[in-house]
Amino acid sequence: MRPGWRTRGCRPAPLKWRDPPGPARPVRVIPREPRPASGSAPASRGCGQNPSVGILNYDIMARFRRRTCIILLLFILFICSIMMALKTLRPDRAGFGDPFGLGLLPELQQRTVLLDSVIVLSWYPPGMADENGEPTDDLVPVILDYAHKYNLKVTFHIEPYKDRDDRSMYHNVKYIIDKYGGHPAFYRQKTSTGKFLPMFYVYDSYVTIPEIWANLLTVSGSQSIRNTPYDALFIALLVEERHKHDIHRSGFDGMYTYFATNGFSYGSSHHNWAGLKAFCDSNNLMFIPSVGPGYIDTSIRPWNNHNTRNRVNGKYYETAFSAALLVRPEIISITSFNEWHEGTQIEKAVPKRTGQMVYLDYKPHKPNIYLELTQKWSEKYRKEQEQWLM
């Protein structure tokens, strides 16, 4: 199986800690001249020596020691606050044994429940980010290395940055392939012609008109990427039914549904998947249904309660997988591995509260219940695929 895991936050979140307490209240210290050792004569100051030198030196040393203690105290508070912040970034735990940042990546070792799986990494061009994040392109090499360590592959979910068009996308794809295409964890999909091509998911692709995409994605386009070293499989997001025609006209290679909320959009509604698969088959397109364990985003969108989908102890997830298998897709994507703010994560979770934030856990089940369910349905999917090909 080659599911695509949609991941967000594969970067260290901004560390938050309280400002250190204000300066300590000054304590007046009256230095005293050192007393001579018992039984010894008072030390002579010598001819012309300033009698206050000893007192002055003692005063300087006292101030130095006091400042050193304050600095050490603030440093200790700083380190402790970082550790506490890191601990709150994951409901399970942060790995302090790793170099800074690696412990905050999705726990890639959890993904070994599915060999031959693909991580779909949320990506912005260098120096860009969404309004709530930070640039993350510099983390890609680390993620690739970790993925390779656990026999995983990585592809890219290109986000809708400002002024994204055919020209900027050409440069994005060229940049990604030139910089990361040689890494052993970089994913390539075997096509019907026997070629192995990179795959890119294009989020909010419908925002750009088909004519612009056609410049890039059709053989006759003015910015055509086809039959060049940067050719790839481009997967568009389908939200509304009419988007399937736009996707075909644009020159995309397939479509995915992304949203984990059954009924939220035409594309995310399970009962529409059979029709979409038939359309894709008749137009030589890939259909990639997206399944998820549930959905709840009211912590960031309080008005969106009507789109909440209860996990029902894993039954919602299994129902989505069952619906996906019915249409015999070549690939199934999972939304998501770690998108906590929309309640679609499947990574391990334990009860956790930080301030006003309460993380949803999987009680009374084990912390890795959704990883186990993913493995279960992956094995079922693999077996059914073998039957489809017979």
Side-chain angles (χ1 to χ4, degrees), residues 1-3 114-118 150-153 187 382:
M1 175 185 178
R2 294 184 298 276
L114 277 177
L115 298 180
D116 304 322
S117 296
V118 181
Y150 295 103
N151 300 314
L152 302 167
K153 301 294 183 182
Y187 179 64
R382 185 180 291 109

Side-chain angles (χ1 to χ4, degrees), residues 8-14 122 124 127-137 139 341:
R8 274 187 181 272
C10 293
R11 58 179 181 271
S122 178
Y124 281 89
M128 294 186 182
D130 64 25
E131 62 275 12
N132 298 312
E134 299 177 357
T136 58
D137 182 65
L139 285 177
H341 63 283

Side-chain angles (χ1 to χ4, degrees), residues 156-321:
F156 294 80
H157 191 258
I158 300 178
E159 299 288 352
Y161 57 85
K162 184 180 179 182
D163 299 327
R164 186 180 67 182
D165 60 12
D166 52 338
R167 294 177 182 272
S168 65
M169 277 289 292
Y170 183 93
H171 292 298
N172 295 158
V173 172
K174 183 178 185 300
Y175 170 85
I176 291 172
I177 293 177
D178 284 347
K179 187 168 184 178
Y180 306 123
H183 196 286
F186 186 83
Y187 179 64
R188 283 181 168 82
Q189 167 82 8
K190 186 177 181 179
T191 68
S192 58
T193 61
K195 294 182 179 179
F196 286 86
L197 295 178
M199 176 179 284
F200 298 102
Y201 291 78
V202 185
Y203 190 66
D204 279 0
S205 51
Y206 58 86
V207 173
T208 303
I209 62 174
E211 290 73 18
I212 296 296
W213 286 125
N215 289 338
L216 177 73
L217 302 177
T218 61
V219 175
S220 59
S222 59
Q223 295 286 325
S224 181
I225 206 166
R226 299 307 187 185
N227 301 319
T228 73
Y230 305 107
D231 200 358
L233 298 172
F234 295 88
I235 311 300
L237 171 61
L238 182 135
V239 179
E240 301 175 16
E241 182 179 13
R242 63 182 176 87
H243 290 160
K244 65 185 181 182
H245 301 291
D246 293 339
I247 289 169
H248 185 230
R249 287 170 51 207
S250 298
F252 281 99
D253 300 283
M255 60 184 73
Y256 72 117
T257 61
Y258 178 69
F259 298 105
T261 303
N262 182 24
F264 168 69
S265 68
Y266 181 88
S268 69
S269 299
H270 300 168
H271 66 269
N272 293 325
W273 288 355
L276 289 171
K277 179 62 162 57
F279 176 86
C280 288
D281 288 346
S282 62
N283 289 282
N284 196 29
L285 297 172
M286 296 175 63
F287 176 62
I288 303 176
S290 303
V291 304
Y295 189 89
I296 179 168
D297 66 354
T298 50
S299 63
I300 57 173
R301 303 180 187 104
W303 42 265
N304 201 34
N305 186 62
H306 61 285
N307 279 317
T308 295
R309 297 294 183 271
N310 193 290
R311 294 186 175 227
V312 201
N313 295 315
K315 295 188 183 302
Y316 183 90
Y317 195 36
E318 296 198 81
T319 298
F321 260 115

Side-chain angles (χ1 to χ4, degrees), residues 8-13 15 82-111 139 142-143 146 149-150 337-338 340 347-348:
R8 274 187 181 272
C10 293
R11 58 179 181 271
L15 301 182
I82 287 180
M83 294 178 70
M84 290 301 295
L86 293 177
K87 278 288 188 182
T88 64
L89 291 175
R90 275 284 174 271
D92 191 355
R93 63 187 179 86
F96 295 114
D98 294 325
F100 180 74
L102 298 188
L104 304 182
L105 295 175
E107 290 78 356
L108 296 181
Q109 60 270 27
Q110 295 181 17
R111 300 174 190 250
L139 285 177
V142 180
I143 295 171
Y146 261 54
K149 181 178 180 180
Y150 295 103
F337 184 74
N338 63 347
W340 284 88
E347 67 174 328
K348 291 194 296 185

